[in-house]
Amino acid sequence: MQTTVIRKIVPTDNEQVAKLVRYVFEELGVPKVGTAYADKELDTMYEAFSAIPNADYYVIEENGVVIGGAGIAPLANHEGNVCELQKMYFLPKARGRGLGKKLIETCLHQAKAYGFESCYLETMPYMKAAQALYKKNGFDYLDSAMGCTGHTSCPVYMLKKL
């Protein structure tokens, strides 16, 4: 029997999360420069999110294996009460099972609890399934970036009012 849970990241998840994100980038041929792949905190996600007030990273664990993850944190270099949905990636076996919807709901619930007014995200133009998931969950397209995340290779911007 499969046991699938969404929970906050713990230190022992760091290696699995970093491998998961890198796997997805390599699988999809996503640029490594100007994306989450190049983020310095990728190997220490627990510590990175723990160091930021009003930030959390969640993993989806199935039978002891991390198969997906996403987090929220205040939007970098932005004046205003906006968080960013960050580093949302899934292994192939996690896709198409409704786990993305559940993970977004978990993140947005926590964002509201922290008092954020909106949630921003950036993605790639060819990640159509991800964009469809975001649209279904109330995100709308923006014409330009908000803040400055450092992800210069992600030219699709979306925002949801909370």
Side-chain angles (χ1 to χ4, degrees), residues 56-79:
D56 288 303
Y57 194 84
Y58 296 90
V59 297
I60 300 175
E61 179 185 54
E62 188 168 81
N63 299 324
V65 177
V66 174
I67 62 171
I72 54 145
L75 178 58
N77 305 301
H78 179 73
E79 296 287 329

Side-chain angles (χ1 to χ4, degrees), residues 86-97:
Q86 301 180 352
K87 295 175 179 66
M88 185 162 174
Y89 299 101
F90 299 92
L91 291 178
K93 68 181 178 178
R95 299 175 194 155
R97 297 172 44 191

Side-chain angles (χ1 to χ4, degrees), residues 24-144:
V24 172
F25 273 73
E26 291 162 6
E27 171 199 20
L28 300 177
V30 176
K32 295 178 177 112
V33 176
T35 64
Y37 192 98
D39 288 352
K40 63 183 178 187
E41 72 269 9
L42 189 56
D43 290 307
T44 56
M45 294 283 281
Y46 171 81
E47 291 79 5
F49 276 81
S50 295
I52 302 168
N54 298 333
D56 288 303
Y57 194 84
Y58 296 90
V59 297
I60 300 175
E61 179 185 54
E62 188 168 81
N63 299 324
V65 177
V66 174
I67 62 171
I72 54 145
L75 178 58
N77 305 301
H78 179 73
E79 296 287 329
N81 198 12
V82 179
C83 68
E84 180 186 11
L85 182 65
Q86 301 180 352
K87 295 175 179 66
M88 185 162 174
Y89 299 101
F90 299 92
L91 291 178
K93 68 181 178 178
R95 299 175 194 155
R97 297 172 44 191
L99 297 173
K101 178 179 176 22
K102 289 179 182 176
L103 188 56
I104 287 175
E105 288 171 352
T106 299
C107 289
L108 295 181
H109 176 78
Q110 186 60 53
K112 287 178 190 175
Y114 283 142
F116 289 110
E117 296 171 0
S118 299
C119 185
Y120 171 80
L121 65 83
E122 297 175 341
T123 190
M124 306 297 284
Y126 50 84
M127 291 185 159
K128 299 296 185 192
Q131 290 177 49
L133 176 65
Y134 301 140
K135 284 292 290 176
K136 277 186 188 178
N137 284 277
F139 284 84
D140 293 311
Y141 290 101
L142 298 174
D143 293 329
S144 59

